[in-house]
Amino acid sequence: MTNNPNWNNIVSVQVVHRPDTWLMFRENASDPQISPIDSFIKNTNIINTLYFSSIGPEDQISPELGSLVLLGYMSAVESYFRAMLRRCIQIDPSTKKAVEMMTIPYGAAVHHEPGLLPEALFEGISFAGKKGAIDFVKSVLGIKGHLPSEVETTLSFFLSICEIRHCCVHRFGKLGSQNAFRLGSEQHADLIEKPFEPTIDDLQNISDILRTFVKTINNWVWTELLNRTVSSSTNTFGTLPWEWRWSNDKNIFENYYCLFCSLEDSPPSRSMFDIYVDFATHCGPSGAPFPDEEEEEEEEAD
């Protein structure tokens, strides 16, 4: 028998070096000055452009690319949640109150830029599931009560995609038993350990579901935050000094509008003034919004 001292090396191993990870990120990049929903739309559009350019001659997509596309979509969703929550903390008094007792790592406090510091609250949080996308969001924002029906509906679709994401991340696309049972054992039991092989139509449907989910969350949070800024017999904390005149309220309203509006969507959000009029009419006192003081003076002069 030949003495082979390397019998334990059943496969050859290449010598590697520690990666220069600090060179892999663009240091001079700045936070985009657009709303989180527009960042999400632009990010998913970029993914669509990349994978459409890789489609085969018979309009086929490889299973591996299909998994990467889904992971890209889900990354865009999680990025939306982080940006949206961070900016809510920056502008909304009730949200600031809700997070004031939350802790952040010391290193984050030392090294984060002040405007990005709230992001440290979300370290270790995954938004790819109900616990992060709903429960944690409600905790950060201080939102109470039941979810609106439209959020419940889109959430159920979103959670199905989260199960597929889990397969792509942890099992190279193969369906795990727990994922199968959560998706529905009747339809999926025979597919355990079978690979994820989406068609282009499947990916388009997934993209549409995720976009609808994010837009529904965006509308829900926008409505919750604006409603509670209005003083009432049951709501006194976190209210804002609305005067129900456009010229006086514009700066406050603009903070919320720019956080949640979309210029990239088709169609884009209605103008800030038009939505303010609807908000004042619905949430303000009778007769709101009132004419600006200059307009009243002109009317009196006439």
Side-chain angles (χ1 to χ4, degrees):
M1 179 180 294
T2 303
N3 184 22
N4 182 2
N6 294 320
W7 67 269
N8 54 324
N9 292 335
I10 195 170
V11 295
S12 61
V13 179
Q14 178 183 353
V15 176
V16 295
H17 304 281
R18 182 181 298 276
D20 296 333
T21 51
W22 62 91
L23 299 177
M24 299 180 187
F25 298 87
R26 183 151 51 92
E27 184 178 5
N28 61 353
S30 58
D31 196 43
Q33 299 303 304
I34 58 177
S35 67
I37 189 67
D38 273 352
S39 287
F40 167 78
I41 291 173
K42 292 186 74 170
N43 289 340
T44 53
N45 286 345
I46 291 172
I47 294 169
N48 290 340
T49 300
L50 289 174
Y51 96 78
F52 273 123
S53 66
S54 303
I55 293 175
E58 298 181 359
D59 288 341
Q60 293 180 336
I61 184 171
S62 69
E64 295 79 13
L65 181 56
S67 293
L68 292 176
V69 170
L70 183 142
L71 293 177
Y73 287 153
M74 289 297 296
S75 179
V77 172
E78 295 213 47
S79 180
Y80 161 80
F81 275 107
R82 296 176 191 281
M84 181 270 289
L85 291 176
R86 166 169 54 85
R87 290 179 58 176
C88 286
I89 292 171
Q90 291 170 340
I91 71 165
D92 183 62
S94 295
T95 303
K96 290 179 182 178
K97 178 70 175 178
V99 301
E100 66 182 7
M101 296 300 293
M102 293 184 178
T103 58
I104 59 174
Y106 175 77
V110 172
H111 297 290
H112 257 305
E113 296 178 12
L116 299 177
L117 187 58
E119 292 262 0
L121 292 171
F122 320 139
E123 293 290 338
I125 299 296
S126 170
F127 295 95
K130 184 177 184 295
K131 185 176 180 180
I134 299 298
D135 299 342
F136 183 73
V137 167
K138 291 177 69 175
S139 174
V140 169
L141 299 177
I143 294 177
K144 310 294 184 182
H146 298 292
L147 294 175
S149 58
E150 59 271 21
V151 176
E152 289 278 12
T153 299
T154 57
L155 174 64
S156 65
F157 300 157
F158 171 70
L159 295 180
S160 295
I161 297 173
C162 290
E163 294 299 327
I164 302 175
R165 169 200 172 272
H166 187 276
C167 300
C168 295
V169 170
H170 300 287
R171 306 176 62 84
F172 205 70
K174 290 185 178 180
L175 182 65
S177 58
Q178 291 188 10
N179 306 118
F181 296 143
R182 293 191 186 103
L183 289 169
S185 57
E186 183 176 343
Q187 299 94 344
H188 298 84
D190 294 337
L191 300 174
I192 293 174
E193 294 301 326
K194 303 301 182 183
F196 175 59
E197 295 187 358
T199 65
I200 293 174
D201 288 342
D202 292 332
L203 290 176
Q204 183 59 56
N205 187 41
I206 288 172
S207 175
D208 291 343
I209 289 172
L210 294 179
R211 185 168 293 204
T212 297
F213 173 68
V214 169
K215 289 165 69 173
T216 303
I217 292 292
N218 197 73
N219 288 343
W220 167 54
V221 175
W222 151 265
T223 303
E224 290 283 347
L225 265 57
L226 261 293
N227 275 336
R228 72 187 186 189
T229 64
V230 180
S231 179
S232 67
S233 59
T234 58
N235 180 38
T236 56
F237 177 79
T239 59
L240 296 174
W242 299 111
E243 299 184 31
W244 307 114
R245 301 178 189 272
W246 169 243
S247 60
N248 296 345
D249 292 343
K250 178 181 178 181
N251 289 341
I252 296 177
F253 191 78
E254 185 175 23
N255 288 332
Y256 289 86
Y257 178 84
C258 290
L259 170 52
F260 293 101
C261 75
S262 175
L263 301 179
E264 297 289 332
D265 198 16
S266 181
S269 300
R270 291 187 298 135
S271 72
M272 180 167 64
F273 176 76
D274 287 346
I275 294 184
Y276 170 79
V277 170
D278 288 349
F279 166 66
T281 301
H282 179 75
C283 297
S286 178
F290 305 118
D292 290 341
E293 294 177 356
E294 293 180 356
E295 295 178 6
E296 288 184 332
E297 291 175 359
E298 291 177 359
E299 290 178 0
E300 293 175 0
D302 292 341

